[in-house]
Amino acid sequence: MIEQVNHYFHRAADVLGISPTVREILLTPKRTIKVEIVTQSDDGKLMHHLGYRVQHNRSRGPMKGGLRYHPLVDEDHAAALAGLMTWKTAVVDVPFGGAKGGINCDPSKLSKTELSNITRAFVRELKEMIGPNIDIPAPDVNTNEEVMAWIMDEYANFYGHSPAVVTGKPVHLFGSEGRSEATGRGAIIVLEEWLKDEGKTLKDLKIAIQGFGNVGSFAARVAVESGAKVVAVGDHGGGVNCAEGLDVEALATWVRENGSVKGYPDADAMPSEEVLTWDVDVLIPAALDGVLTKENARDVRASVILEGANGPTNFDAAEIFEERGITVIPDILANAGGVTVSYFEWTQNIQQYRWDLEHVRQELTKTMQRSYRDVRRIADEKKIDLRTAAFVLAIDRVSTAALSRNVVKQSLSE
Ligand code: NAD
């Protein structure tokens, strides 16, 4: 995945005329942490896992990014995702840098007690290197508000009450209203802005979604509220479709109770991967990275791809989409609603104050609309695609901050 992110970075750095040295500085993570986590299983056996945190850049503020629990988590993967966080926080102009991490594990094979023990052991290893002004983790694949509450609690055992050490906490434990829906909602706000430019609205548009977890399920709900039809959904267990539009609330309840969309009774079953090439107007990949490849890009039938997931489109697939006139709304813009409301949560924690849901939604809408307009303006002025434009905006902001903080002032192209 790191090659994918670097490829997109260099395309934008070429537009900005950035020197090789400055590129090197911007691409290299500030710090890479790898820790061993030894715990006991419920039946008393020793368990061994590896945990990672890559802290990429702190030029614009404390580092920020999710924690993923998945068998594919490793150092390279965390580094690529950490870099994306640096660019994402800059696109939406929240005062954070970028980080990412996680634990190489399969949470479906662990009990809640085992997961809590692994999480707490991870926090004990990381505790000096995270904190409200250093690095603030958040949920990602297979982590949720419960995991964030464990992190906050373990961190408090060493440093006292510090809710701003993580975001994405439960609302009753210093979380923010509107955080769980934020990534999906933010993505649909950006899509609506893009549709406005096309002279269209969401009304009656057909949508297919890969992944029905946090991002996918909330994107579905918000899109349906605005009149769209979600006609196909696929996840790790299988896929379902319904030409008249799925009842997304009922599907979300089914997934909560059964763990997957598989077997949902009020729709037709299909292989999960077919969702990517389903006959729709909008495709929302909202699961894992690297799912749109040169092998399937020619079969995609949507006219716009809204990247809910991080890194779902490989660069060779992106070239095919460009050639075919399919617009890709890039991850560092499309899914930045989560980190935006994480910023609101961190702000509320520091101020010991609470915003209501309406205020969070209003501020999220303003941020996502402004960010889309910023990216679109650059894309139109420079005649480049939206992803390159988003990277141009982000790299310009981060490099300007990085160079202004340095003793020796250099220009970007020196
Ligand atoms: P989640 O764990 O809540 O949901 C993940 C979904 O992906 C599940 O529906 C799962 O079944 C599905 N999935 C897993 N493996 C799959 C496979 N092989 N094929 C099809 N589907 C598969 O995770 P999430 O928080 O919704 O994150 C999804 C993506 O969005 C990730 O790329 C994440 O980095 C990105 N993201 C999340 C947030 C956030 O706020 N949660 C913010 C920005 C980006």
Side-chain angles (χ1 to χ4, degrees):
M1 187 187 177
I2 196 98
E3 304 88 62
Q4 311 292 333
V5 179
N6 288 358
H7 175 90
Y8 295 135
F9 171 90
H10 285 299
R11 252 170 86 144
D14 288 345
V15 174
L16 286 163
I18 290 189
S19 75
T21 315
V22 175
R23 289 181 197 218
E24 202 54 29
I25 294 169
L26 293 176
L27 283 176
T28 310
K30 182 109 203 112
R31 180 156 60 184
T32 301
I33 304 153
K34 177 179 179 183
V35 297
E36 183 184 42
I37 302 165
V38 180
T39 52
Q40 259 191 347
S41 67
D42 291 344
D43 55 5
K45 296 204 181 78
L46 275 180
M47 293 198 297
H48 174 264
H49 293 96
L50 291 174
Y52 301 88
R53 187 74 180 164
V54 178
Q55 299 177 329
H56 181 258
N57 190 292
R58 58 170 198 205
S59 302
R60 303 181 72 256
M63 293 168 284
K64 186 90 194 79
L67 284 180
R68 183 176 291 203
Y69 289 0
H70 196 273
L72 291 178
V73 168
D74 64 16
E75 193 176 311
D76 272 5
H77 199 251
L81 291 167
L84 274 185
M85 284 308 298
T86 296
W87 314 126
K88 190 182 302 183
T89 53
V91 166
V92 285
D93 205 11
V94 293
F96 289 135
K100 202 82 175 196
I103 300 175
N104 186 299
C105 67
D106 183 351
S108 68
K109 300 204 167 83
L110 296 164
S111 73
K112 202 177 256 197
T113 315
E114 288 168 341
L115 264 181
S116 166
N117 289 340
I118 292 169
T119 301
R120 287 172 186 278
F122 188 39
V123 174
R124 289 194 292 278
E125 294 296 334
L126 276 188
K127 64 183 186 310
E128 288 94 4
M129 289 164 279
I130 58 171
N133 295 312
I134 303 170
D135 176 5
I136 306 138
D140 193 78
V141 176
N142 295 331
T143 56
N144 55 18
E145 55 179 41
E146 194 171 30
V147 177
M148 298 305 117
W150 298 333
I151 296 175
M152 180 185 85
D153 187 64
E154 189 63 29
Y155 188 82
N157 288 335
F158 297 91
Y159 301 105
H161 179 66
S162 323
V165 65
V166 275
T167 58
K169 300 177 292 292
V171 173
H172 64 269
L173 267 182
F174 312 97
S176 177
E177 294 286 351
R179 172 59 185 89
S180 48
E181 64 172 33
T183 308
R185 177 172 291 277
I188 299 302
I189 294 167
V190 171
L191 175 63
E192 286 189 296
E193 287 303 292
W194 179 82
L195 286 167
K196 264 187 222 163
D197 286 341
E198 300 289 301
K200 295 183 195 157
T201 67
L202 269 173
K203 180 120 187 55
D204 294 330
L205 286 196
K206 287 183 291 169
I207 300 183
I209 306 181
Q210 185 192 47
F212 208 67
N214 175 280
V215 180
S217 67
F218 280 108
R221 288 178 173 112
V222 179
V224 167
E225 272 166 27
S226 299
K229 283 186 200 162
V230 174
V231 296
V233 171
D235 71 6
H236 70 281
V240 289
N241 70 81
C242 173
E244 294 77 48
L246 292 154
D247 178 340
V248 293
E249 279 306 334
L251 184 60
T253 305
W254 175 268
V255 171
R256 222 175 11 257
E257 289 166 0
N258 300 279
S260 161
V261 300
K262 188 177 175 195
Y264 174 66
D266 297 326
D268 294 324
M270 66 198 238
S272 177
E273 60 280 6
E274 281 189 17
V275 79
L276 297 170
T277 52
W278 208 249
D279 186 10
V280 286
D281 304 294
V282 184
L283 170 63
I284 309 181
L288 300 177
D289 51 83
V291 295
L292 293 167
T293 63
K294 65 177 186 318
E295 282 73 35
N296 61 15
R298 296 216 176 269
D299 300 326
V300 168
R301 287 187 273 178
S303 53
V304 57
I305 297 167
L306 180 69
E307 292 187 337
N310 285 311
T313 312
N314 288 352
F315 61 76
D316 38 21
E319 276 165 17
I320 296 171
F321 293 142
E322 210 169 326
E323 188 190 299
R324 294 184 57 210
I326 297 174
T327 298
V328 180
I329 305 181
D331 46 11
I332 57 172
L333 170 65
N335 70 32
V339 78
T340 300
V341 176
S342 275
Y343 163 56
F344 300 158
E345 181 175 331
W346 179 79
T347 306
Q348 292 169 72
N349 291 156
I350 286 171
Q351 297 183 341
Q352 302 195 32
Y353 189 73
R354 271 191 183 269
W355 297 5
D356 62 25
L357 181 60
E358 196 191 340
H359 186 51
V360 171
R361 285 182 175 170
Q362 271 171 2
E363 291 298 314
L364 173 67
T365 304
K366 269 199 268 181
T367 301
M368 300 312 292
Q369 288 179 339
R370 171 180 42 73
S371 305
Y372 172 78
R373 289 285 140 219
D374 288 345
V375 170
R376 184 67 196 237
R377 192 174 48 252
I378 294 170
D380 290 347
E381 273 169 20
K382 298 194 182 295
K383 304 202 172 4
I384 51 181
D385 61 287
L386 291 174
R387 189 189 314 275
T388 310
F391 269 84
V392 164
L393 175 66
I395 295 169
D396 195 26
R397 284 183 175 154
V398 175
S399 55
T400 304
L403 295 178
S404 322
R405 290 172 79 128
N406 271 325
V407 185
V408 182
K409 292 232 168 73
Q410 269 187 297
S411 81
L412 295 181
S413 52
E414 272 168 31

